[in-house]
Amino acid sequence: MTTATTPVRTPERASAPAVTARKHRPGLRRRLELALLLGPALLLFFGFVLVPIGIAAFYSVFNWNGFGPLDDFVGFKNYSDAFGGTVFQSAIVHNLIIAGLSIVVQLPLSIGLALLLNRKLRGRAVLRALVFAPYVLSEAITAVIWSLMLQPNGFADQTLRAAGLGGLVHNWLADPGIVLYTMFAVITWKYIGFGIILLLAGLQGVPAELREAAALDGASAWQTTRHVVLPLLGPTIRIWIFLSVIGSLQLFDVVWIMTTGGPANASTTMATYLIDHGFKRYEFGFGSAVAVILFVICFVFALLYQRFALRRDTQGALTRMVG
Amino acid sequence: MRSGKFGLSMGYLAAIVVVGVTVVPLLFVALGGFRTTAQLNTDPAGLPGPWVFDNYASVLGSSAFWTFLGNSALIAVIATALAVGLGSMAGYALSRYQFKGREAFYTLFTLGLLFPLGVATLPLYLWLRQLGLLETFWGVAIPEAAFSLPVTIVILRPFMHAIPGEIEDAAVLDGTTRLGFFWRILLPLSTPALTTVAVLAFVTSWNAYLLPLLVFNDAGHFTLPLGVASFQSQYSQDTARVLAFTALSAIPALAFFVLAERRIVGGLTGSVKG
């Protein structure tokens, strides 16, 4: 390979015989190159992304504990069992609550904070870095940090009492009526910075002239924000909603580490249910069915969202989205 | 114009609140590691007094922490190298070769964006078991690379496509093969985009919890996220030590973030904005 760059070889390679030699079999050479370039990635992608999903669909129609032959064909029984079970039903509801809360609480909060922070503040760079810091921590570390902070009579409780808010103290991780909201708060802590940074980047794209023009026309700050800035943030907001909903549907790490879905399944999500049954209880057929359900829910949401919400953004908006 | 004095002070107020909420938990962990569990129990929100260095010293002196750190690093490096290596080759083929089915291949990869690893973990576990890859670093790194391919290709293809064709023509006239052009000219020119995708793949692998959880049983193979979670349940009575362990585990990610902030933030926001 390196020889081609040396001055001695260059004229030789550019000479007539070399060119004709290449002309003789351009098709074959090109095909070999393509296979060499594209083949490994395709192999990896098929082998470890598509094949497992196919395998799951196959296992999902069997009653199978993960060992021995696959001989107990049960058809769609695993699916009807999953949907018929109250725990899985409540898991779906929990995922939907988290997704709904993200949109109703996190989104306005992120937009509000981004609008407030979108000023020439001193220490802007440091601020952005700090706001973004929790996003780079793993969910595992986040979960451990918050488990420790939320211990009964721990840091959070003591701080609340010191602030005169002792009435707010709860059994954060052990009260079935509270635990799901605790999970939501932890997720919000971890991901709000991501939303803010995304929206701040979106705000950079709003031309100052537009705001000035609106202000000259007599629009109040609120009117300018509502009718000029927010519509221009539309694409950013739509992508954020997409990422947030997909993330909510797959919520696992934080819940598994903090409560393993408890107490009494009060914080079970589809993913913790899947791992609890499929992996811990060796119900691999059933777990595979749950995996397929989770996959189909995400897939259908993604397609519908792409079709109806993202379509008006730049073409290929989905393909530019990054998790 | 909108940034009047009132707006500016509201901005600072918001900044203080956001920074406080972000930083306080991190400070609690970092400072808690310098206290004793007894101190923590009597006054959870207090400051270290006296400062205790035993927790950090014992974590840093234990082999467990360094093992987890090494495993995480090794797996993340393999996953990143695979994703960026194979992804850039595929990105080159999909951006600068004309062939039938090119767009179909590209769409196939973009579909992968819809299958996050979490959804496929259980079947992946069964598949890895069949392949005999359980309890191996490859068993985690290869699937992570595979699931990072879509993002990698989606970012690299337009970037490589935008590099002027004249450069390629000139290279071919100088006698370079197309593969030589890829290796010696296109890849160096793509460094910014390659850095972005590498950082994304690395962070994703570094923070992964579910896949390593299923693949590894042997604590000697644990990655940091697994290690932190297991350390917490193992030493649940010794809060101070757990805090020290957690604080130390957070440092690599935070340090990496400080070094690569521009790439991470730019990669995420840039790719979302298009």
Side-chain angles (χ1 to χ4, degrees), chain A residues 126-140:
Chain A
V126 179
L127 176 75
R128 289 172 69 123
L130 282 176
V131 165
F132 203 65
Y135 181 75
V136 288
L137 293 180
S138 63
E139 283 198 23

Side-chain angles (χ1 to χ4, degrees), chain A residues 272-305:
Chain A
T272 65
Y273 183 84
L274 159 63
I275 296 304
D276 186 28
H277 281 263
F279 192 69
K280 278 199 136 179
R281 305 187 193 182
Y282 294 104
E283 297 168 3
F284 282 105
F286 182 72
S288 297
V290 175
V292 171
I293 293 169
L294 179 53
F295 167 72
V296 168
I297 290 176
C298 292
F299 192 59
V300 168
F301 166 76
L303 284 187
L304 289 179
Y305 196 79

Side-chain angles (χ1 to χ4, degrees), chain A residues 26 70 119 128 230 296 309:
Chain A
L70 273 170
R119 292 189 164 82
R128 289 172 69 123
L230 281 188
V296 168

